[in-house]
Amino acid sequence: MQTFGNTEWLFARTASKRAIDQSISVWTIPNTSARDITFPLLSGVRLIPSWAVLTSILLAMSAICGTTVMRSRAELRASSEQQQNFASQLQNLRDTNHTLERDLQKLTNDPSAIELAARERLGMVRANDVVVTRQSLQLSGNGNKDSLVR
């Protein structure tokens, strides 16, 4: 042993290592398994019966699936209501469009409809019509209710 020199440097070697190098050296211990390092409470978990673990997993999966189904049904219900609203709006627009097309046909082909539109919308009168304004009725009325028909 004296031929090899002083061996005290072997014992001081762990103190001079970095913390990372020291933590890596734990993995090189031959009697330590990965299960003992990662799961130190594994012995306590072994006390829980397997049926209880399986039941818990099944309950959790059922709850997740139930929540997903309920959310999907709610989204389907909301989408169907929105589709019905759009369908009713579309039907209203089609009815309005049909009415406007019918009015357009009347205004282009029917002379009485053209005359009625000119009288109501534009305030036009025929040459032989007598025009009586409300203002003239108020001035000449003096509270008497005179009939315009004679």
Side-chain angles (χ1 to χ4, degrees):
M1 200 78 162
Q2 286 188 351
T3 57
F4 292 111
N6 189 2
T7 57
E8 289 184 19
W9 62 273
L10 290 174
F11 300 118
R13 189 172 82 178
T14 58
S16 66
K17 278 187 180 181
R18 295 183 315 205
I20 293 175
D21 294 338
Q22 289 178 3
S23 64
I24 292 174
S25 66
V26 171
W27 294 100
T28 61
I29 300 172
N31 295 337
T32 307
S33 67
R35 177 175 280 178
D36 293 337
I37 293 172
T38 55
F39 301 111
L41 299 175
L42 192 60
S43 61
V45 172
R46 290 183 185 157
L47 297 176
I48 300 173
S50 61
W51 62 268
V53 173
L54 182 64
T55 304
S56 299
I57 291 171
L58 288 176
L59 284 174
M61 287 176 34
S62 298
I64 290 170
C65 290
T67 303
T68 304
V69 168
M70 288 174 54
R71 182 177 293 158
S72 297
R73 285 185 179 175
E75 288 177 1
L76 177 65
R77 193 177 312 115
S79 295
S80 65
E81 288 175 3
Q82 187 177 19
Q83 189 266 341
Q84 288 175 351
N85 288 339
F86 285 147
S88 66
Q89 288 177 359
L90 179 64
Q91 187 60 38
N92 289 340
L93 289 174
R94 284 182 178 161
D95 292 342
T96 305
N97 192 20
H98 182 68
T99 304
L100 290 173
E101 285 176 357
R102 191 176 57 231
D103 290 346
L104 180 64
Q105 288 297 323
K106 284 182 182 178
L107 288 174
T108 55
N109 297 329
D110 188 12
S112 63
I114 295 171
E115 180 183 352
L116 182 65
R119 286 178 179 270
E120 288 180 357
R121 294 180 188 168
L122 301 176
M124 297 179 125
V125 293
R126 285 188 175 181
N128 58 354
D129 286 344
V130 176
V131 178
V132 179
T133 62
R134 289 186 182 163
Q135 188 179 28
S136 65
L137 285 175
Q138 289 174 352
L139 292 176
S140 66
N142 292 333
N144 296 340
K145 301 237 176 180
D146 295 332
S147 174
L148 295 176
V149 181
R150 293 186 187 192

